[in-house]
PDB file of all heavy atoms in Angstrom:
ATOM      1  N   ALA A  48      47.285  65.330 233.109  1.00  0.00           N
ATOM      2  CA  ALA A  48      47.348  64.493 231.911  1.00  0.00           C
ATOM      3  C   ALA A  48      47.730  65.311 230.690  1.00  0.00           C
ATOM      4  O   ALA A  48      47.473  66.513 230.615  1.00  0.00           O
ATOM      5  CB  ALA A  48      46.002  63.815 231.686  1.00  0.00           C
ATOM      6  N   THR A  77      62.769  71.810 229.517  1.00  0.00           N
ATOM      7  CA  THR A  77      63.261  70.532 228.999  1.00  0.00           C
ATOM      8  C   THR A  77      62.102  69.608 228.643  1.00  0.00           C
ATOM      9  O   THR A  77      61.055  69.620 229.298  1.00  0.00           O
ATOM     10  CB  THR A  77      64.168  69.804 230.008  1.00  0.00           C
ATOM     11  OG1 THR A  77      63.375  69.295 231.088  1.00  0.00           O
ATOM     12  CG2 THR A  77      65.253  70.711 230.549  1.00  0.00           C
ATOM     13  N   LEU A  87      57.168  71.959 221.445  1.00  0.00           N
ATOM     14  CA  LEU A  87      57.186  73.077 222.400  1.00  0.00           C
ATOM     15  C   LEU A  87      57.773  74.335 221.743  1.00  0.00           C
ATOM     16  O   LEU A  87      57.287  75.444 221.951  1.00  0.00           O
ATOM     17  CB  LEU A  87      58.016  72.710 223.631  1.00  0.00           C
ATOM     18  CG  LEU A  87      57.435  71.654 224.577  1.00  0.00           C
ATOM     19  CD1 LEU A  87      58.424  71.358 225.698  1.00  0.00           C
ATOM     20  CD2 LEU A  87      56.115  72.125 225.167  1.00  0.00           C
ATOM     21  N   LEU A  94      53.377  81.857 220.085  1.00  0.00           N
ATOM     22  CA  LEU A  94      53.030  82.818 221.135  1.00  0.00           C
ATOM     23  C   LEU A  94      53.884  84.080 221.018  1.00  0.00           C
ATOM     24  O   LEU A  94      53.389  85.192 221.210  1.00  0.00           O
ATOM     25  CB  LEU A  94      53.208  82.174 222.516  1.00  0.00           C
ATOM     26  CG  LEU A  94      52.795  83.013 223.727  1.00  0.00           C
ATOM     27  CD1 LEU A  94      51.330  83.442 223.621  1.00  0.00           C
ATOM     28  CD2 LEU A  94      53.034  82.248 225.025  1.00  0.00           C
ATOM     29  N   LYS A  96      55.220  85.340 218.260  1.00  0.00           N
ATOM     30  CA  LYS A  96      54.772  86.101 217.091  1.00  0.00           C
ATOM     31  C   LYS A  96      53.471  86.849 217.379  1.00  0.00           C
ATOM     32  O   LYS A  96      53.317  88.021 217.026  1.00  0.00           O
ATOM     33  CB  LYS A  96      54.568  85.149 215.915  1.00  0.00           C
ATOM     34  CG  LYS A  96      54.176  85.842 214.621  1.00  0.00           C
ATOM     35  CD  LYS A  96      54.012  84.842 213.483  1.00  0.00           C
ATOM     36  CE  LYS A  96      53.573  85.550 212.195  1.00  0.00           C
ATOM     37  NZ  LYS A  96      53.387  84.576 211.082  1.00  0.00           N
ATOM     38  N   GLY A 109      69.130  66.548 220.360  1.00  0.00           N
ATOM     39  CA  GLY A 109      69.997  65.572 219.710  1.00  0.00           C
ATOM     40  C   GLY A 109      69.431  65.201 218.352  1.00  0.00           C
ATOM     41  O   GLY A 109      68.231  65.319 218.123  1.00  0.00           O
ATOM     42  N   GLN A 126      67.573  83.748 225.083  1.00  0.00           N
ATOM     43  CA  GLN A 126      67.008  84.113 226.386  1.00  0.00           C
ATOM     44  C   GLN A 126      66.160  82.974 226.948  1.00  0.00           C
ATOM     45  O   GLN A 126      66.030  82.814 228.149  1.00  0.00           O
ATOM     46  CB  GLN A 126      66.162  85.391 226.228  1.00  0.00           C
ATOM     47  CG  GLN A 126      67.011  86.606 225.850  1.00  0.00           C
ATOM     48  CD  GLN A 126      66.168  87.736 225.298  1.00  0.00           C
ATOM     49  OE1 GLN A 126      65.213  87.523 224.543  1.00  0.00           O
ATOM     50  NE2 GLN A 126      66.520  88.973 225.666  1.00  0.00           N
ATOM     51  N   PHE A 144      77.009  78.293 226.857  1.00  0.00           N
ATOM     52  CA  PHE A 144      76.276  79.430 227.423  1.00  0.00           C
ATOM     53  C   PHE A 144      76.251  79.255 228.934  1.00  0.00           C
ATOM     54  O   PHE A 144      76.414  78.151 229.453  1.00  0.00           O
ATOM     55  CB  PHE A 144      74.856  79.554 226.851  1.00  0.00           C
ATOM     56  CG  PHE A 144      74.058  78.281 226.897  1.00  0.00           C
ATOM     57  CD1 PHE A 144      73.508  77.815 228.076  1.00  0.00           C
ATOM     58  CD2 PHE A 144      73.856  77.541 225.741  1.00  0.00           C
ATOM     59  CE1 PHE A 144      72.775  76.646 228.121  1.00  0.00           C
ATOM     60  CE2 PHE A 144      73.118  76.369 225.769  1.00  0.00           C
ATOM     61  CZ  PHE A 144      72.585  75.914 226.968  1.00  0.00           C
ATOM     62  N   ASN A 145      76.073  80.354 229.642  1.00  0.00           N
ATOM     63  CA  ASN A 145      76.033  80.318 231.099  1.00  0.00           C
ATOM     64  C   ASN A 145      74.604  80.103 231.596  1.00  0.00           C
ATOM     65  O   ASN A 145      73.650  80.600 230.996  1.00  0.00           O
ATOM     66  CB  ASN A 145      76.580  81.630 231.688  1.00  0.00           C
ATOM     67  CG  ASN A 145      78.064  81.793 231.400  1.00  0.00           C
ATOM     68  OD1 ASN A 145      78.811  80.829 231.449  1.00  0.00           O
ATOM     69  ND2 ASN A 145      78.475  83.017 231.088  1.00  0.00           N
ATOM     70  N   LEU A 161      62.186  60.392 233.374  1.00  0.00           N
ATOM     71  CA  LEU A 161      62.695  59.334 234.259  1.00  0.00           C
ATOM     72  C   LEU A 161      62.728  57.993 233.537  1.00  0.00           C
ATOM     73  O   LEU A 161      63.731  57.279 233.565  1.00  0.00           O
ATOM     74  CB  LEU A 161      61.813  59.250 235.506  1.00  0.00           C
ATOM     75  CG  LEU A 161      62.060  58.071 236.466  1.00  0.00           C
ATOM     76  CD1 LEU A 161      63.447  58.175 237.093  1.00  0.00           C
ATOM     77  CD2 LEU A 161      60.992  58.044 237.562  1.00  0.00           C
ATOM     78  N   ALA A 183      59.570  74.330 238.131  1.00  0.00           N
ATOM     79  CA  ALA A 183      58.201  73.887 237.847  1.00  0.00           C
ATOM     80  C   ALA A 183      58.292  72.548 237.130  1.00  0.00           C
ATOM     81  O   ALA A 183      58.983  72.427 236.109  1.00  0.00           O
ATOM     82  CB  ALA A 183      57.471  74.906 236.987  1.00  0.00           C
ATOM     83  N   PHE A 185      56.186  69.248 235.515  1.00  0.00           N
ATOM     84  CA  PHE A 185      54.903  68.786 234.998  1.00  0.00           C
ATOM     85  C   PHE A 185      55.010  67.315 234.635  1.00  0.00           C
ATOM     86  O   PHE A 185      55.957  66.898 233.960  1.00  0.00           O
ATOM     87  CB  PHE A 185      54.499  69.608 233.772  1.00  0.00           C
ATOM     88  CG  PHE A 185      54.203  71.048 234.086  1.00  0.00           C
ATOM     89  CD1 PHE A 185      55.241  71.950 234.303  1.00  0.00           C
ATOM     90  CD2 PHE A 185      52.895  71.492 234.187  1.00  0.00           C
ATOM     91  CE1 PHE A 185      54.980  73.278 234.610  1.00  0.00           C
ATOM     92  CE2 PHE A 185      52.622  72.809 234.496  1.00  0.00           C
ATOM     93  CZ  PHE A 185      53.663  73.707 234.712  1.00  0.00           C
ATOM     94  N   LEU A 235      41.162  44.375 212.335  1.00  0.00           N
ATOM     95  CA  LEU A 235      41.630  45.767 212.340  1.00  0.00           C
ATOM     96  C   LEU A 235      41.153  46.493 211.085  1.00  0.00           C
ATOM     97  O   LEU A 235      40.662  47.630 211.162  1.00  0.00           O
ATOM     98  CB  LEU A 235      43.157  45.801 212.416  1.00  0.00           C
ATOM     99  CG  LEU A 235      43.812  47.179 212.301  1.00  0.00           C
ATOM    100  CD1 LEU A 235      43.405  48.059 213.469  1.00  0.00           C
ATOM    101  CD2 LEU A 235      45.328  47.053 212.221  1.00  0.00           C
ATOM    102  N   LEU A 246      40.780  60.687 212.132  1.00  0.00           N
ATOM    103  CA  LEU A 246      42.185  60.277 212.182  1.00  0.00           C
ATOM    104  C   LEU A 246      42.311  59.127 213.168  1.00  0.00           C
ATOM    105  O   LEU A 246      41.967  59.264 214.344  1.00  0.00           O
ATOM    106  CB  LEU A 246      43.085  61.446 212.618  1.00  0.00           C
ATOM    107  CG  LEU A 246      44.588  61.142 212.774  1.00  0.00           C
ATOM    108  CD1 LEU A 246      45.180  60.627 211.463  1.00  0.00           C
ATOM    109  CD2 LEU A 246      45.356  62.374 213.232  1.00  0.00           C
ATOM    110  N   SER A 266      48.441  46.783 201.460  1.00  0.00           N
ATOM    111  CA  SER A 266      48.058  45.755 200.473  1.00  0.00           C
ATOM    112  C   SER A 266      46.544  45.726 200.254  1.00  0.00           C
ATOM    113  O   SER A 266      46.062  45.220 199.251  1.00  0.00           O
ATOM    114  CB  SER A 266      48.546  44.373 200.925  1.00  0.00           C
ATOM    115  OG  SER A 266      47.758  43.882 202.006  1.00  0.00           O
ATOM    116  N   GLY A 268      44.884  48.445 199.967  1.00  0.00           N
ATOM    117  CA  GLY A 268      44.581  49.687 199.266  1.00  0.00           C
ATOM    118  C   GLY A 268      44.424  50.908 200.148  1.00  0.00           C
ATOM    119  O   GLY A 268      43.923  51.949 199.698  1.00  0.00           O
ATOM    120  N   GLY A 277      62.607  53.181 214.729  1.00  0.00           N
ATOM    121  CA  GLY A 277      63.546  52.755 213.691  1.00  0.00           C
ATOM    122  C   GLY A 277      63.550  53.657 212.478  1.00  0.00           C
ATOM    123  O   GLY A 277      64.334  53.462 211.554  1.00  0.00           O
ATOM    124  N   GLY A 293      46.634  66.549 206.867  1.00  0.00           N
ATOM    125  CA  GLY A 293      45.482  65.739 206.479  1.00  0.00           C
ATOM    126  C   GLY A 293      45.741  64.771 205.334  1.00  0.00           C
ATOM    127  O   GLY A 293      44.801  64.261 204.716  1.00  0.00           O
ATOM    128  N   ALA A 304      54.752  57.253 219.936  1.00  0.00           N
ATOM    129  CA  ALA A 304      53.694  58.237 219.713  1.00  0.00           C
ATOM    130  C   ALA A 304      52.795  58.409 220.930  1.00  0.00           C
ATOM    131  O   ALA A 304      52.096  59.406 221.051  1.00  0.00           O
ATOM    132  CB  ALA A 304      52.855  57.835 218.500  1.00  0.00           C
ATOM    133  N   TYR A 319      46.203  47.509 219.028  1.00  0.00           N
ATOM    134  CA  TYR A 319      46.281  46.238 218.305  1.00  0.00           C
ATOM    135  C   TYR A 319      46.822  45.146 219.225  1.00  0.00           C
ATOM    136  O   TYR A 319      46.441  43.990 219.137  1.00  0.00           O
ATOM    137  CB  TYR A 319      47.188  46.401 217.079  1.00  0.00           C
ATOM    138  CG  TYR A 319      47.252  45.190 216.179  1.00  0.00           C
ATOM    139  CD1 TYR A 319      46.253  44.961 215.233  1.00  0.00           C
ATOM    140  CD2 TYR A 319      48.313  44.280 216.255  1.00  0.00           C
ATOM    141  CE1 TYR A 319      46.314  43.851 214.398  1.00  0.00           C
ATOM    142  CE2 TYR A 319      48.373  43.174 215.435  1.00  0.00           C
ATOM    143  CZ  TYR A 319      47.368  42.959 214.502  1.00  0.00           C
ATOM    144  OH  TYR A 319      47.423  41.854 213.682  1.00  0.00           O
ATOM    145  N   HIS A 330      48.268  56.037 228.383  1.00  0.00           N
ATOM    146  CA  HIS A 330      48.845  57.064 227.514  1.00  0.00           C
ATOM    147  C   HIS A 330      48.346  56.920 226.084  1.00  0.00           C
ATOM    148  O   HIS A 330      48.098  57.920 225.402  1.00  0.00           O
ATOM    149  CB  HIS A 330      50.373  56.996 227.556  1.00  0.00           C
ATOM    150  CG  HIS A 330      50.939  57.252 228.911  1.00  0.00           C
ATOM    151  ND1 HIS A 330      50.715  58.407 229.601  1.00  0.00           N
ATOM    152  CD2 HIS A 330      51.710  56.472 229.722  1.00  0.00           C
ATOM    153  CE1 HIS A 330      51.328  58.361 230.775  1.00  0.00           C
ATOM    154  NE2 HIS A 330      51.931  57.195 230.867  1.00  0.00           N
ATOM    155  N   ARG A 337      40.602  64.554 223.577  1.00  0.00           N
ATOM    156  CA  ARG A 337      41.348  65.608 224.264  1.00  0.00           C
ATOM    157  C   ARG A 337      40.630  66.948 224.185  1.00  0.00           C
ATOM    158  O   ARG A 337      39.826  67.192 223.299  1.00  0.00           O
ATOM    159  CB  ARG A 337      42.749  65.713 223.666  1.00  0.00           C
ATOM    160  CG  ARG A 337      43.507  64.408 223.785  1.00  0.00           C
ATOM    161  CD  ARG A 337      44.872  64.478 223.152  1.00  0.00           C
ATOM    162  NE  ARG A 337      45.709  65.472 223.817  1.00  0.00           N
ATOM    163  CZ  ARG A 337      46.998  65.571 223.636  1.00  0.00           C
ATOM    164  NH1 ARG A 337      47.625  64.741 222.852  1.00  0.00           N
ATOM    165  NH2 ARG A 337      47.697  66.502 224.254  1.00  0.00           N
ATOM    166  N   ASN A 392      29.932  28.893 237.223  1.00  0.00           N
ATOM    167  CA  ASN A 392      29.356  27.703 236.607  1.00  0.00           C
ATOM    168  C   ASN A 392      29.212  26.546 237.585  1.00  0.00           C
ATOM    169  O   ASN A 392      28.432  25.634 237.364  1.00  0.00           O
ATOM    170  CB  ASN A 392      30.211  27.248 235.419  1.00  0.00           C
ATOM    171  CG  ASN A 392      30.066  28.194 234.238  1.00  0.00           C
ATOM    172  OD1 ASN A 392      29.082  28.906 234.153  1.00  0.00           O
ATOM    173  ND2 ASN A 392      31.053  28.206 233.353  1.00  0.00           N
ATOM    174  N   LEU A 395      25.014  25.119 241.735  1.00  0.00           N
ATOM    175  CA  LEU A 395      24.081  24.037 241.432  1.00  0.00           C
ATOM    176  C   LEU A 395      23.029  24.485 240.432  1.00  0.00           C
ATOM    177  O   LEU A 395      22.601  25.632 240.427  1.00  0.00           O
ATOM    178  CB  LEU A 395      23.370  23.568 242.716  1.00  0.00           C
ATOM    179  CG  LEU A 395      24.262  22.939 243.796  1.00  0.00           C
ATOM    180  CD1 LEU A 395      23.396  22.588 244.996  1.00  0.00           C
ATOM    181  CD2 LEU A 395      24.962  21.705 243.271  1.00  0.00           C
ATOM    182  N   VAL A 400      19.281  22.655 243.355  1.00  0.00           N
ATOM    183  CA  VAL A 400      18.953  23.574 244.452  1.00  0.00           C
ATOM    184  C   VAL A 400      17.639  23.136 245.090  1.00  0.00           C
ATOM    185  O   VAL A 400      17.475  23.144 246.318  1.00  0.00           O
ATOM    186  CB  VAL A 400      18.840  25.032 243.935  1.00  0.00           C
ATOM    187  CG1 VAL A 400      18.314  25.950 245.035  1.00  0.00           C
ATOM    188  CG2 VAL A 400      20.197  25.531 243.442  1.00  0.00           C
ATOM    189  N   VAL A 408      12.617  17.593 254.501  1.00  0.00           N
ATOM    190  CA  VAL A 408      11.393  16.811 254.375  1.00  0.00           C
ATOM    191  C   VAL A 408      11.723  15.332 254.525  1.00  0.00           C
ATOM    192  O   VAL A 408      12.748  14.859 254.054  1.00  0.00           O
ATOM    193  CB  VAL A 408      10.731  17.069 253.000  1.00  0.00           C
ATOM    194  CG1 VAL A 408       9.436  16.242 252.864  1.00  0.00           C
ATOM    195  CG2 VAL A 408      10.465  18.553 252.802  1.00  0.00           C
ATOM    196  N   ASN A 426      28.905  18.004 238.441  1.00  0.00           N
ATOM    197  CA  ASN A 426      30.295  18.481 238.414  1.00  0.00           C
ATOM    198  C   ASN A 426      31.105  17.776 237.335  1.00  0.00           C
ATOM    199  O   ASN A 426      31.967  18.375 236.692  1.00  0.00           O
ATOM    200  CB  ASN A 426      30.954  18.283 239.776  1.00  0.00           C
ATOM    201  CG  ASN A 426      30.466  19.281 240.812  1.00  0.00           C
ATOM    202  OD1 ASN A 426      29.997  20.362 240.449  1.00  0.00           O
ATOM    203  ND2 ASN A 426      30.533  18.931 242.090  1.00  0.00           N
ATOM    204  N   ARG A 427      30.833  16.484 237.139  1.00  0.00           N
ATOM    205  CA  ARG A 427      31.550  15.708 236.105  1.00  0.00           C
ATOM    206  C   ARG A 427      31.255  16.275 234.709  1.00  0.00           C
ATOM    207  O   ARG A 427      32.158  16.412 233.878  1.00  0.00           O
ATOM    208  CB  ARG A 427      31.144  14.240 236.188  1.00  0.00           C
ATOM    209  CG  ARG A 427      32.009  13.304 235.330  1.00  0.00           C
ATOM    210  CD  ARG A 427      31.592  11.850 235.526  1.00  0.00           C
ATOM    211  NE  ARG A 427      30.248  11.624 234.968  1.00  0.00           N
ATOM    212  CZ  ARG A 427      30.028  11.410 233.666  1.00  0.00           C
ATOM    213  NH1 ARG A 427      31.029  11.411 232.809  1.00  0.00           N
ATOM    214  NH2 ARG A 427      28.808  11.205 233.235  1.00  0.00           N
TER     215      ARG A 427
END
Side-chain angles (χ1 to χ4, degrees):
T77 72
L87 290 177
L94 184 57
K96 183 179 178 181
Q126 294 163 321
F144 50 76
N145 294 321
L161 172 65
F185 293 77
L235 175 64
L246 177 59
S266 74
Y319 185 82
H330 298 302
R337 301 178 62 167
N392 288 338
L395 296 178
V400 172
V408 180
N426 286 336
R427 190 177 68 81

